[in-house]
Amino acid sequence: MRKDVRILLVGEPKVGKTSLIMSLVSEEFPDVVPYRAEEITIPADVTPERVPTHIVDYSDAEQTDEQLFQEISKANVICIVYAVNNKKSIEKVISHWIPLINENTDKDSRVPLILVGNKSDLVEHSSMETILPIMNQYSEIETCVECSAKNLKNISELFYYAQKAVLHPTGPLYCPEKKAMKSLCVKALTRIFKVSDLDNDGILNDNELNFFQRTCFNTPLEPQALEDVKNVVRKNLTDGVCDNGLSLKGFLFLHTLFIQRGRHETTWTVLRRFGYDDDLELNQDYLFPPLKIPPDCTTELNHNAYLFLQSVFDKHDKDRDCALSPEELADLFDVFPYMPWGPDVNNTVCTNEQGWITYQGYLSQWTLTTYLDVQRCLEYLGYLGYSIIAEQESHAAGITVTRAKKIDLQKKQTQRSVFRCNVFGDIGSGKSGFLQAFLGSNLMRQKTVKEEHKSYYAISTTYVYGQEKYLLLHEVFPDFDYLSDADLACDIVCLVYDVSNPYSFEYCAKVFKQYFMDSKTPCMMIAAKSDLPEVKQMYGCSPLEFCRKHKMPPPQSFTCNTAAAPSRDIYTKLTTMAMYPHARLRCMCTCNRCTFCLCQNFLNSELLQTVRAKLYAVVLRRHVSQADLKSSTFWLRASVGATVFAVLGFAMYRVLLKPR
């Protein structure tokens, strides 16, 4: 809505412009009328539309043409006043005033005009027969009002219509010549209908109509009023009501009827509630609500946003196969001005055997968009009507801004659910295969992907200690000298080399030494293409020695050349390392380097096994007699043995942790 309305009154001398303004303000006809009234501001609380209104008078006796042109350019609506008893003043409307106004306003955004016939108290006839052809000739004329400043006839109505012409203009909605709504209005109302059709059956049932009414007008429809509305549509349109619900044709017919009957404000209330501006474009403030994201923080969808997106998926998955066919996906995005997902999305998230995006893939893509480009995500939620359907103040209510990563490290716990893994490797090292394998694609299936549909991202869910988390893989372009901050900012680094290429590992070693050796970001080395014969890497040390030297897990063997979907174990390890970088649980293996493995080795050591066996022998041996069980010496020995076992175990644990 506009913050204020500026009304300009123009016309020939002595037609009563100033008298109209003074009669409105004083509610009586003035005895003495000056050449020109000073600008008047009517407060918002005394206007029907609750908007401050500025009324500006014009007088050729006191103002120059230049001042007139400036006022025309500033006006939101212009009232051309004529005297109903003066034919010359009527002729001047089309010969002088309308051309003058059009010359000083932008063609694409013509200011609305109100024709005002003053001094109706002096004649018995109406001027409407003369005025109607003029109104039909100029589409910018909103209406014509006959009034009398002397008798106060239609004075308040005049300024109400002027306000209405600005706040609820007819021009963008309706074409009088065709007696039909304009295409932009039809397009906007069609989107509103589809967003409001919660079950996607093409009909607004009583529950959906009541939700729509409550959303737009803050009050539900009474059952009888609902039936009356449907009966009006039935009488005028055969297919306007189907299965006792309002069809799209019926919905559009109702709004056409509102406009034709002068109730533009009803249609504008609906349009503005769903985010449209005066040009019937979605408002930027609606699509991009303010969202503050501090440095080192990430953005994720919250529980309510996921529930909303799940409902959107369910209402478009008509065959209930937990995947969106191309037709279903196009139907889902029909409320968008463009198709937001290209063919690369099918290689970014999980798809079924037909290549259709699955339910999990659908949520993953939304998660990816939120993480990488939250403004784009807000825009998409706006097109789907999230804030309206979920009854939230704005789309930003669906976004969670995580706390800074340094706080997670300090507290040694994280509340995040999305973790980013940047994948580095030389050309041909197997990075793309590593990403696609995460989505369940083996080498055979990867060969069917077209080069132009390739994606540098892959995202899916993994489970860490029973918690569902998203792992986002990003393939970094192998340009060693131009790594951006985005290439380096991540939760874990994956260094991929080809075991069959003797020069492949060198790139990984250089990247690690230059960018990650002194960082707190955990790193993992991936020995890709492990199904091929392994060759010696032409580097100063072997990959295993390099990992031990820099306190990394040993290289993890990986191949996507499998008959079934490749193993996902490596991705679980990556997510675990990303979640718990402080714990140094850098692997679940026998590398003899990490805390996890050292503790496991200690628990399985020969010394501990011997102590445990002797303790069991003392406490649990079968030939313990009743006398022994009653002997205090026996229980003393058992207690001492258990205490020694506990103290020894704790001491060894502290000794092993100290160097770490």
Side-chain angles (χ1 to χ4, degrees):
M1 286 287 282
R2 287 182 178 274
K3 293 182 179 179
D4 58 6
V5 173
R6 190 174 182 85
I7 304 172
L8 173 65
L9 275 69
V10 299
E12 294 300 296
K14 300 188 182 299
V15 293
K17 303 184 296 297
T18 308
S19 299
L20 288 170
I21 296 172
M22 297 184 73
S23 294
L24 173 73
V25 174
S26 63
E27 296 186 350
E28 62 179 7
F29 186 70
D31 295 328
V32 180
V33 181
Y35 282 113
R36 175 174 170 268
E38 293 297 323
E39 181 178 323
I40 293 170
T41 298
I42 302 176
D45 55 354
V46 297
T47 64
E49 296 292 341
R50 301 291 176 184
V51 176
T53 302
H54 311 283
I55 301 175
V56 181
D57 193 10
Y58 163 72
S59 171
D60 61 353
E62 292 190 358
Q63 291 174 288
T64 64
D65 288 346
E66 186 62 34
Q67 289 174 314
L68 172 61
F69 300 154
Q70 288 178 1
E71 290 295 348
I72 289 173
S73 65
K74 291 191 290 185
N76 302 127
V77 57
I78 298 176
C79 296
I80 305 177
V81 184
Y82 64 91
V84 294
N85 63 339
N86 186 338
K87 289 186 178 179
K88 186 178 179 182
S89 67
I90 298 175
E91 291 170 0
K92 281 280 189 174
V93 170
I94 54 175
S95 65
H96 175 68
W97 289 108
I98 293 178
L100 177 70
I101 292 167
N102 287 342
E103 285 172 10
N104 289 277
T105 53
D106 189 358
K107 265 188 178 182
D108 298 326
S109 56
R110 287 281 169 85
V111 64
L113 306 178
I114 305 287
L115 300 186
V116 182
N118 192 24
K119 304 185 181 182
S120 63
D121 58 293
L122 299 179
V123 295
E124 295 182 358
H125 64 275
S126 171
S127 63
M128 293 306 294
E129 289 186 9
T130 308
I131 295 300
L132 278 174
I134 300 174
M135 292 178 65
N136 293 332
Q137 184 179 351
Y138 296 96
S139 59
E140 57 266 37
I141 299 176
E142 288 285 325
T143 189
C144 177
V145 183
E146 287 192 342
C147 57
S148 169
K150 188 172 184 179
N151 295 342
L152 306 184
K153 178 187 174 183
N154 289 340
I155 301 297
S156 58
E157 287 82 356
L158 157 64
F159 291 100
Y160 168 69
Y161 285 129
Q163 271 190 336
K164 190 175 173 182
V166 177
L167 302 175
H168 312 299
T170 311
L173 306 181
Y174 191 73
C175 180
E177 293 83 6
K178 296 180 181 179
K179 294 183 178 179
M181 282 193 295
K182 291 185 176 179
S183 58
L184 273 179
C185 183
V186 171
K187 184 179 177 182
L189 290 172
T190 300
R191 171 186 166 266
I192 291 170
F193 179 90
K194 291 184 175 180
V195 168
S196 304
D197 183 12
L198 302 178
D199 55 9
N200 198 33
D201 63 351
I203 296 168
L204 294 184
N205 58 39
D206 287 358
N207 288 334
E208 290 166 342
L209 280 170
N210 264 316
F211 179 79
F212 172 81
Q213 178 76 12
R214 193 171 65 252
T215 298
C216 295
F217 304 102
N218 297 319
T219 177
L221 279 170
E222 294 295 328
Q224 186 56 50
L226 199 57
E227 281 304 311
D228 291 344
V229 167
K230 288 189 279 190
N231 286 333
V232 169
V233 177
R234 282 192 189 100
K235 287 179 183 178
N236 293 275
L237 209 62
T238 54
D239 53 352
V241 177
C242 302
D243 297 331
N244 203 36
L246 206 61
S247 68
L248 175 59
K249 286 185 178 180
F251 183 75
L252 295 175
F253 168 78
L254 267 183
H255 283 281
T256 304
L257 204 61
F258 291 145
I259 296 167
Q260 288 173 341
R261 292 182 178 180
R263 291 176 55 189
H264 315 113
E265 63 272 16
T266 302
T267 300
W268 274 115
T269 300
V270 171
L271 290 165
R272 288 185 174 123
R273 179 66 183 90
F274 279 78
Y276 288 93
D277 60 18
D278 290 350
D279 298 320
L280 294 185
E281 298 288 342
L282 283 171
N283 200 304
Q284 294 298 296
D285 293 337
Y286 167 81
L287 289 177
F288 304 104
L291 181 67
K292 187 177 180 181
I293 307 171
D296 201 30
C297 297
T298 60
T299 47
E300 300 176 0
L301 293 166
N302 61 28
H303 180 65
N304 289 332
Y306 276 119
L307 287 178
F308 170 76
L309 292 171
Q310 288 167 14
S311 70
V312 172
F313 182 95
D314 290 339
K315 90 175 195 177
H316 290 92
D317 182 21
K318 294 179 180 178
D319 54 8
R320 297 291 180 266
D321 63 347
C322 288
L324 293 175
S325 67
E327 293 76 21
E328 290 170 339
L329 198 63
D331 185 40
L332 190 154
F333 289 126
D334 193 42
V335 294
F336 283 56
Y338 55 87
M339 183 64 180
W341 292 0
D344 60 312
V345 173
N346 294 59
N347 300 309
T348 304
V349 299
C350 293
T351 57
N352 63 11
E353 293 179 355
Q354 295 167 287
W356 300 349
I357 295 173
T358 62
Y359 171 73
Q360 186 58 58
Y362 164 83
L363 293 181
S364 296
Q365 179 61 26
W366 276 100
T367 303
L368 175 70
T369 306
T370 309
Y371 186 92
L372 295 179
D373 190 350
V374 70
Q375 291 299 316
R376 183 63 59 88
C377 178
L378 289 171
E379 180 188 359
Y380 292 172
L381 288 173
Y383 294 139
L384 291 174
Y386 169 71
S387 63
I388 297 160
I389 303 302
E391 299 182 81
Q392 299 287 343
E393 194 171 321
S394 76
H395 316 310
I399 306 297
T400 294
V401 179
T402 66
R403 67 187 182 190
K405 188 177 177 182
K406 62 182 179 183
I407 298 177
D408 284 350
L409 293 172
Q410 289 169 2
K411 293 182 176 291
K412 297 188 177 180
Q413 60 179 356
T414 182
Q415 298 170 333
R416 291 187 296 153
S417 60
V418 184
F419 298 91
R420 176 168 179 156
C421 173
N422 283 356
V423 182
F424 293 84
D426 206 356
I427 296 173
S429 59
K431 301 188 301 299
S432 299
F434 184 72
L435 265 67
Q436 290 301 304
F438 185 35
L439 307 178
S441 296
N442 58 19
L443 187 61
M444 188 65 69
R445 186 173 176 181
Q446 291 176 26
K447 289 180 178 179
T448 63
V449 178
K450 296 180 180 178
E451 184 64 28
E452 61 269 23
H453 297 165
K454 182 181 176 182
S455 174
Y456 292 99
Y457 291 94
I459 183 170
S460 188
T461 54
T462 60
Y463 286 87
V464 178
Y465 303 133
Q467 300 178 58
E468 185 182 55
K469 301 294 180 182
Y470 283 94
L471 179 63
L472 164 59
L473 301 179
H474 170 47
E475 179 183 342
V476 179
F477 190 76
D479 191 343
F480 184 82
D481 297 324
Y482 296 98
L483 293 181
S484 65
D485 292 340
D487 295 332
L488 304 176
C490 57
D491 300 300
I492 184 168
V493 173
C494 218
L495 301 164
V496 181
Y497 71 95
D498 179 0
V499 298
S500 65
N501 182 350
Y503 302 99
S504 184
F505 177 74
E506 184 179 9
Y507 176 87
C508 296
K510 285 183 178 179
V511 168
F512 177 83
K513 283 187 172 182
Q514 181 163 339
Y515 296 105
F516 299 107
M517 188 164 67
D518 297 323
S519 84
K520 295 181 180 180
T521 306
C523 300
M524 180 180 280
M525 198 73 69
I526 304 295
K529 304 182 184 181
S530 60
D531 57 302
L532 299 177
E534 185 173 358
V535 298
K536 182 181 178 181
Q537 294 295 319
M538 303 302 290
Y539 189 70
C541 60
S542 70
L544 180 60
E545 291 169 342
F546 183 88
C547 291
R548 285 180 176 173
K549 179 181 177 182
H550 296 286
K551 299 179 182 179
M552 293 167 59
Q556 305 291 301
S557 297
F558 176 81
T559 180
C560 57
N561 190 11
T562 56
S567 171
R568 289 172 59 92
D569 291 346
I570 185 67
Y571 305 105
T572 302
K573 293 180 182 180
L574 287 169
T575 313
T576 306
M577 290 172 63
M579 281 184 68
Y580 303 108
H582 54 275
R584 302 282 183 177
L585 293 178
R586 299 198 175 230
C587 63
M588 271 69 82
C589 63
T590 54
C591 68
N592 297 322
R593 302 292 300 175
C594 66
T595 303
F596 181 86
C597 292
L598 289 171
C599 291
Q600 285 292 102
N601 291 342
F602 168 67
L603 292 173
N604 296 322
S605 66
E606 186 177 348
L607 172 63
L608 203 61
Q609 293 292 342
T610 303
V611 173
R612 184 168 59 183
K614 288 183 177 180
L615 184 63
Y616 284 171
V618 171
V619 178
L620 301 174
R621 67 179 187 268
R622 292 187 179 181
H623 60 275
V624 175
S625 64
Q626 291 295 325
D628 287 335
L629 291 174
K630 293 178 181 178
S631 168
S632 59
T633 306
F634 167 78
W635 288 111
L636 180 62
R637 289 202 312 270
S639 300
V640 171
T643 304
V644 170
F645 177 80
V647 171
L648 182 62
F650 182 72
M652 290 295 291
Y653 177 74
R654 291 295 298 271
V655 168
L656 290 170
L657 280 183
K658 193 173 181 180
R660 311 303 294 172

